[in-house]
Amino acid sequence: MSLGGLLKVLVGDCRLRATRWLLALRVRLRNPTLFSDPTVIWDYGYRDVDAIQLGQGVRVYAFTEVLVQRHARHSPVEGGLVLGDAVVISTGCNIRAAGGVIRVGDRSGIGQHCVLVGANHRIEPGLPRFHTPWDDVRCGVEIGANVWIGANCTILPGARIGDNAVIAAGSVVRGEVPAGELWGGVPARYIKTIE
């Protein structure tokens, strides 16, 4: 590699690190009770910081990526992230709040390595899978208060999880989970009532 190529790579890397640091700083300054590990990636449009609403005492742990796009090019539906008071997002989660709003109620916990997706591409015959418009009917995620999402879960667009529910580790949630129930599996199914 030439010296010019090496400098180009270094400048690009420094620019990316500086941008990520600035975006994370803006979120922390607007939310003084937020604990956000320095490795958390806050990825949002500079003007979209208002699409991130965090309650008191939110904790986001290491290696989590939070993407928020108010206006995504594949969807007419606004994206956003709303986390209630004392929400905990564990290590290594991936939150994609574009093309739909992701809401998590007070005192809810998201286990390690979970994925929350606000929107997904429509499947249309003959079109490339990643260049189709997003589904604007089945979008957004609603997680109630005092919900526990176990490790390695995927919460798909259109999922609605009621208050006091528990989702077993490794589950995929794609529909409605009533309040006070334990669900698990792929796709997640009713296991028992816990409230």
Side-chain angles (χ1 to χ4, degrees):
M1 176 179 281
S2 69
L3 181 58
L6 178 62
L7 287 174
K8 186 175 180 180
V9 169
L10 287 174
V11 167
D13 186 54
C14 289
R15 180 178 291 153
L16 178 62
R17 288 173 188 258
T19 300
R20 286 183 174 168
W21 178 84
L22 177 62
L23 293 176
L25 177 65
R26 291 181 75 214
V27 171
R28 287 196 310 268
L29 288 174
R30 292 173 65 95
N31 301 279
T33 64
L34 168 68
F35 166 80
S36 177
D37 188 89
T39 61
V40 173
I41 297 172
W42 291 93
D43 186 2
Y44 58 93
Y46 194 78
R47 287 179 242 169
D48 290 347
V49 71
D50 293 333
I52 301 170
Q53 300 171 26
L54 307 180
Q56 298 293 309
V58 170
R59 302 183 70 78
V60 184
Y61 287 96
F63 307 110
T64 291
E65 182 175 358
V66 180
L67 176 129
V68 180
Q69 290 180 345
R70 178 171 283 157
H71 303 287
R73 64 183 167 132
H74 293 294
S75 176
V77 179
E78 283 195 8
L81 177 66
V82 180
L83 302 180
D85 294 340
V87 167
V88 175
I89 308 292
S90 295
T91 304
C93 292
N94 190 330
I95 299 173
R96 319 297 287 179
V101 175
I102 295 177
R103 295 179 198 280
V104 181
D106 295 345
R107 301 172 322 282
S108 289
I110 311 298
Q112 300 88 340
H113 307 288
C114 287
V115 177
L116 282 67
V117 183
N120 206 347
H121 297 269
R122 285 190 232 152
I123 298 174
E124 296 184 11
L127 292 177
R129 299 294 180 233
F130 292 109
H131 299 289
T132 58
W134 291 350
D135 186 345
D136 56 6
V137 174
R138 191 178 192 86
C139 59
V141 169
E142 296 277 344
I143 298 172
N146 193 37
V147 171
W148 176 19
I149 310 273
N152 296 307
C153 288
T154 300
I155 312 300
L156 294 173
R160 305 289 180 257
I161 301 172
D163 296 344
N164 304 307
V166 175
I167 306 301
S171 299
V172 176
V173 178
R174 61 183 182 145
E176 187 160 337
V177 175
E181 293 185 357
L182 169 63
W183 281 49
V186 180
R189 292 180 176 85
Y190 171 82
I191 296 174
K192 67 179 182 176
T193 299
I194 53 176
E195 290 285 323

